[in-house]
Amino acid sequence: MTAPVRLIPTAPNADNIAIINIDNPPVNALSHAVRQGVIDAITQAEQDENIAAIVIYCQGKTFIAGADIKEFGKTPKEPHLPEVLQRINQCSKPTIAALFGTVLGGGFELALACHYRVAVRGTKLGLPEVTLGLIPGAGGTQLLPRIAGVELALTMITSGKPQKVEQLDSYGIIDFLINTDSSNKEHLLTETILFAKQLLEKNHASKIITQLPMILDSEQKEAAHLLCQQFRDKLAKKSRGQQAPQSAINSIENSFTLPLNEAMVKEREYFVACRGSTQSRAMRHAFFAEKMTAKLMHSGDTKPTPTDITSVAVIGAGTMGGGIAMCFANAGISVSLLEMSQSNLAKGINAIAKRYQQAEARGIMTKQKVNQCMALITGTCDYQDLAQVDLVVEAAFETMPVKQQIFSQLDKVCKPEAILASNTSYLDIDEIAKATTRPEKVVGMHFFSPANIMKLLEVVATKYTDAQTLTTAMALGKKMGKISVAVKVCYGFVGNRMYACYGREANMLLLEGATPQQVDNAMVQWGMAMGPLAVNDMSGIDIGYQARQANTERPDDPTYFGAADMLVEAGRLGQKTHAGFYQYDEKTNKRSPDDAAIKLINAHATKLGIKQRNDISDEEIQQRLIFALINEGAYILEQKIASRASDIDAIWLNGYGFPRHLGGPMCYADEIGLETVVATIKKFQQQSGNTYWQVAPLLEQLLAQGKKISD
Ligand code: 3HC
């Protein structure tokens, strides 16, 4: 193995400028060998009398993108990053970072520790540590406020969102912005060497960190404290339950209240505490789970190359179809939207235009981008117009005869190599595929509503789908910025099948005497983005009702979703009728508890012979809903509907508002221990006497072997 860091003592056309060349694919992460290599290279360069300045440069697609996240779960090895950065900063010869790509976390901190920074246009700078349950641990919370001010530091560090160098032009972070983009790396190196030469000619000295004092007068300090408090309050709501953003604010506050050395020590303490926390473990798991979903498990040796998809069609211009069309257009793919009538088509295209206008008004998209996207979307009522498209996504009415009729029609008009995908949420895609003469080219592409916003895409392989089709659908998802997860066919696939168990328990608890707000509050307090019943009201209780009615595998049990079904039959469909589990103000749509709903539910419980109790605790609610998910997830793994436990987590994190700092249901099960999970499920089985709480054999088996779900 070649060393990931090399000192090149003489740069092209500059004998007194050295290059520290970092080559640690894929993203030049600061693994142990890189940290040690940088220290050695700096030492060597300092000792070499012929070297007057040092450029830090990276091979590959990006400058250093951060610490090596894979090392976080292991025993830390010296030298630690702060030591490396201190060495760079205290180097007697000017150090200059040549930036391109995504300069993130420890990579950005390393750049800030350099005496100068040169970047090409389009370079992204960021401190995304909070997204991993961490805070910057090598000076980010101290150097960024000192160089660019407290407000920018608070914004960048607590959001974790990278920003382009062009947007940061006025903050004094970059000393020289080269007018070329990152694809021209040769130019970056040449220009950085030129910059270093000019520094030497002008006799510029190194800028040592300790020479970066944070001098704020008392008025500025007061304003900075106030700003910190505003961020604390905002994040207490936005990042509910997460420790890292609050620790980051505390550390940034130290930048103007403590001397630098003390504040750096405190920063490291916060970082180390976060790194060892269950929250960070879970968020790191989430990071790798999302990367892992793209890795398909192929049976053969050869991995198919995805087919290039340049034109698609979407069947159905309703909310879902329109959202899907937007996903394709956003990714630069031309879309033909098919509807049954011109009036429906016009309605659908107008609704898309409105959604784009809203995105523009909110500053999410530029006018130019909106125009480009709208130009990619065309409409038709004629199937013949779909003859040349590469792929079709059907988003029509959710019944088998309708879907089969559409697929049969598509099969006749589309070119033989075209992929035919269904957006069905529940139906058996094996059966849909049989309506065509190309079942191997039929696949599920299950988007989540609103399709243009939600990150999740379940890519459903039928028993006929070939590897080429699956790979292409997965790659297309990635192109649209989705987290694509490959799953197999079963009722509700992975996400909705598990959600049915979660909803079943929420409904059962209502019949047993819990109120809707008690159930929802318990789940929000636990960490879910919204309570299940408020979600159900929002999406329409009748949607699930219809799906259950059509489900031939539905349990023959009147208590199964008994509360929801009764409310639908009483005309309470949720927000759209201003009444469901809650009531909604007709003007403001504001939700409030509704005694009428509670009375109806209680009367229904009596009718079903369910004895209600008033001792239902929040803990019972949380465990029943979450453990129902875990148990079903284990069945799904056992049946190989999902390939990995981490795929299930990625689905729940990106499609159902599962709290990221708990890592997903399967990660959570490992964290609390399978012993607790199995024992509690058995207790619920005894308590309920119903058949829903059969412990999944996989859980029992793993427990007996002393293993975890992730093993
Ligand atoms: N450590 C280890 N592996 C990393 C990594 C990191 N920091 N960042 C990315 N990788 C790996 C990915 O797991 C993936 O591996 P795989 O090919 O085996 O699946 C590979 O690099 C390529 O990553 P992507 O598929 O994500 O490539 P993209 O080009 O789409 O994105 C990226 C590149 C923007 C750098 C993205 O990977 C990313 O955001 N990485 C995380 C960056 C980060 O969070 N840095 C901060 C780390 S914490 C820190 O620095 C603490 C410090 O303050 C002390």
Side-chain angles (χ1 to χ4, degrees), residues 142 249-259 263 266-267 270:
Q142 301 308 309
I249 298 169
N250 295 346
S251 191
I252 294 168
E253 202 162 34
N254 288 343
S255 72
F256 56 88
T257 56
L258 293 180
K266 290 245 177 261
E267 180 197 71
Y270 280 124

Side-chain angles (χ1 to χ4, degrees), residues 26-27 29 61 65-70 72 81 102 104-107 109 128-129 131-132 134-138 268 271 287-288 291 295 478:
V27 296
K61 63 177 181 180
D68 186 339
I69 305 169
K70 289 194 192 94
F72 285 156
L81 194 54
T102 42
L104 303 178
E109 290 173 302
E129 284 84 347
T131 64
L132 299 166
L134 299 167
I135 74 159
R268 194 69 188 171
F271 171 78
F287 174 82
F288 287 116
K291 305 276 162 231
K295 296 184 175 40
K478 181 158 192 208

Side-chain angles (χ1 to χ4, degrees), residues 1-36:
M1 231 175 77
T2 53
V5 182
R6 212 159 42 94
L7 181 77
I8 304 170
T10 51
N13 305 322
D15 339 345
N16 60 348
I17 295 172
I19 299 170
I20 294 183
N21 183 68
I22 302 177
D23 187 5
N24 187 30
V27 296
N28 291 312
L30 289 156
S31 322
H32 175 254
V34 175
R35 298 196 302 273
Q36 187 60 59

